[in-house]
Amino acid sequence: MTKLVLSLATSPYDRTAGLFDGRIRVEGCDIVPVALSPEETFHRAFKHAEFDITEISLSSHTLTVARGTSAYVGIPAFTSRAFRHSGIYIRTDRGIASPADLRGKTIGLPEYQQTANVWIRALLKDEYGVGADEIRWRVGGIEQPGRGERAPLTLPPAIDYQPVPAGGTLSQMLRDGDLDAVFSPKEPSCFSQGAPHVDRLFPDYQGVEEDYFRRTGIFPIMHLVGIRRALVEQHPWLPVSVLKAFSAAKKLALEELGLIGHLAVTLPWPVAALTHARKLIGEDFWSYGVAPNRAQLEAFLDHSVEQGLSVRRVALEELFAPSVLDMSRL
């Protein structure tokens, strides 16, 4: 029987490495892997649906599902998770001592729909009472002018949303004082280069993020995996095969990360970090599947509506192929 030849676009994380080097295979498929940054992957996936299997943004997938325009069916293999207190960069000369002080400020974003920024706005609202309609949002490239939203966006009139001036970048505008803050998962160069009056709101972000997890139980999901909808309709066995492969690749990565005799990553104490993560978050701290992540996925879907992104409240089950919601058990 001829195997399906399918393209796969994702970042080459340790948890996807087995899919790139052939140690992990997708049942019934020959995979052609393409290693890309999330920014490029999402641009090409949401604008042109270029890939058969692809890493996708949780936020953009949610809003396209809400509109009925999603080209991809979701698989609960969460290739990227990250706490985002580290992504709040501020001018230290604007009286911003806590997140509550961001109310009324002008804040730059690479994209309003970016999942990282949905989670940051969620913690502003839930933890500090600052709503999305109480901030002036300015959207543009972090280092290059001209960046726009990867999926079309129409926000409620109460959301003050504008592109930055032509030719402007978020890093340059934060450095020059044209913005009060920037929310970004990547460090703007003005911060990494030590520009005056630019710092993180939470310099000790790990401590703050650990406290956030202890209180909320949330380890934020950023990305999932999508399969081209037409392929799922033609090959209904494919979603489970893809989820099994991504789960096996993650298992392999964690086994290698736990090797103390020869370290899998270029850090002196990765095994200690692995042990700490398991003590804090749990043995399966990077869980795949819907059931162990239901509470935070439901919260995210609420935030997407609250922040003006989703045109309706999406049911969690709409994000994923039905077959991955009810996996077989031994």
Side-chain angles (χ1 to χ4, degrees):
M1 183 176 177
T2 303
K3 292 185 176 182
L4 292 179
V5 179
L6 302 177
S7 59
L8 165 64
T10 183
S11 290
Y13 309 110
D14 61 348
R15 51 200 171 273
T16 59
L19 294 162
F20 280 86
D21 61 28
R23 289 178 294 166
I24 304 296
R25 306 193 64 84
V26 180
E27 297 167 337
C29 302
D30 283 331
I31 296 297
V32 181
V34 183
L36 299 172
S37 70
E39 290 85 358
E40 183 174 354
T41 303
F42 298 165
H43 176 88
R44 294 170 67 176
F46 285 101
K47 286 187 176 289
H48 308 294
E50 293 184 25
F51 308 108
D52 298 318
I53 306 169
T54 181
E55 185 174 9
I56 55 176
S57 154
L58 174 59
S59 177
S60 299
H61 182 55
T62 299
L63 70 89
T64 56
V65 167
R67 295 172 181 165
T69 60
S70 175
Y72 291 96
V73 174
I75 304 299
F78 303 117
T79 48
S80 180
R81 308 176 78 122
F83 295 99
R84 291 306 187 191
H85 294 72
S86 62
I88 304 177
Y89 300 88
I90 61 166
R91 292 283 306 187
T92 59
D93 56 356
R94 304 296 166 85
I96 303 171
S98 80
D101 298 323
L102 293 169
R103 183 180 285 107
K105 296 296 192 288
T106 302
I107 299 177
L109 303 168
E111 295 182 50
Y112 186 85
Q113 71 187 271
Q114 192 172 43
T115 309
N117 289 323
V118 176
W119 282 116
I120 292 175
R121 288 191 298 266
L123 74 88
L124 287 182
K125 181 64 182 297
D126 292 347
E127 305 259 297
Y128 303 98
V130 181
D133 58 352
E134 298 181 275
I135 289 171
R136 295 183 291 273
W137 305 105
R138 299 296 178 261
V139 178
I142 303 169
E143 307 294 343
Q144 295 179 305
R147 179 169 177 172
E149 302 284 345
R150 64 180 69 107
L153 201 59
T154 302
L155 295 173
I159 304 295
D160 184 348
Y161 169 99
Q162 298 178 33
V164 302
T169 67
L170 302 185
S171 181
Q172 165 253 316
M173 294 178 69
L174 184 61
R175 182 196 64 211
D176 294 347
D178 298 319
L179 295 170
D180 300 311
V182 164
F183 292 174
S184 170
K186 290 190 172 183
E187 290 185 355
S189 60
C190 65
F191 170 79
S192 56
Q193 293 168 4
H197 306 299
V198 174
D199 201 355
R200 280 192 169 100
L201 178 58
F202 298 107
D204 176 27
Y205 58 86
Q206 182 173 343
V208 175
E209 290 169 351
E210 289 187 5
D211 177 68
Y212 171 81
F213 176 79
R214 291 186 185 99
R215 289 184 293 100
T216 67
I218 292 175
F219 178 18
I221 293 168
M222 297 294 138
H223 309 161
L224 65 157
V225 173
I227 306 175
R228 197 190 304 275
R229 187 173 298 278
L231 276 170
V232 174
E233 292 170 354
Q234 188 176 0
H235 306 286
W237 52 268
L238 189 55
V240 171
S241 291
V242 170
L243 179 57
K244 287 169 64 179
F246 272 86
S247 297
K250 184 193 74 168
K251 181 174 182 290
L252 178 62
L254 288 169
E255 289 172 352
E256 293 181 342
L257 191 60
L259 295 174
I260 201 165
H262 58 280
L263 300 177
V265 296
T266 314
L267 287 170
W269 298 291
V271 180
L274 177 63
T275 301
H276 178 68
R278 283 176 167 156
K279 286 182 178 178
L280 176 67
I281 301 176
E283 187 68 22
D284 188 15
F285 62 89
W286 201 294
S287 56
Y288 288 178
V290 171
N293 294 287
R294 177 174 291 276
Q296 70 167 289
L297 287 167
E298 295 282 12
F300 184 89
L301 294 172
D302 290 338
H303 291 307
S304 184
V305 173
E306 183 180 63
Q307 296 175 21
L309 286 164
S310 295
V311 295
R312 63 179 178 85
R313 200 333 184 135
V314 172
L316 186 152
E317 289 74 15
E318 293 180 78
L319 297 178
F320 304 105
S323 56
V324 301
L325 302 174
D326 184 25
M327 299 282 284
S328 63
R329 298 286 188 272
L330 289 177

